[in-house]
Amino acid sequence: MTSEAVRDLMLSGMLMVSAAGFYAMFYALGRMLGRPSLVAFSYIFAGLQAMGALGMIVPPHLDPFWKYLIAFSSLVYLFVPQGMWWVVTTFHEREYTH
């Protein structure tokens, strides 16, 4: 693997991880503040996360195992902020009812 390939993989990985963080942050802020525009804005970062994943999957540098793992984790993470929001709000609703 060339140094350029390593650089490109690292940049794509950094894009995937940082975009996933911004996606979760803006999604949670949008839901917490009751601002659907922030939730919609968060989906831009979900798209960037998917682009970062594609930047690691499409080039022929990684073994198929890593490509499948990256694809699976990226796909699953698209639903993590919604799931975590549901878990957190459900637990807090139960706290206030008891």
Side-chain angles (χ1 to χ4, degrees), residues 68-81:
Y68 290 127
L69 184 64
I70 292 167
F72 177 75
S73 66
S74 181
L75 183 66
V76 167
Y77 194 78
L78 292 176
F79 303 102
V80 167

Side-chain angles (χ1 to χ4, degrees), residues 15-76:
L15 174 64
M16 181 181 158
V17 172
S18 60
F22 283 115
Y23 168 42
M25 181 183 75
F26 283 112
Y27 182 85
L29 277 175
R31 295 294 303 259
M32 189 170 58
L33 300 174
R35 296 185 57 187
S37 61
L38 272 180
V39 174
F41 183 66
S42 74
Y43 294 128
I44 293 172
F45 291 99
L48 288 173
Q49 176 215 345
M51 286 177 55
L54 285 176
M56 291 188 288
I57 293 169
V58 172
H61 307 302
L62 297 177
D63 292 335
F65 169 77
W66 292 109
K67 290 182 177 189
Y68 290 127
L69 184 64
I70 292 167
F72 177 75
S73 66
S74 181
L75 183 66
V76 167

Side-chain angles (χ1 to χ4, degrees), residues 77-92:
Y77 194 78
L78 292 176
F79 303 102
V80 167
Q82 292 90 348
M84 288 306 298
W85 182 261
W86 181 82
V87 167
V88 169
T89 55
T90 301
F91 282 153
H92 285 288

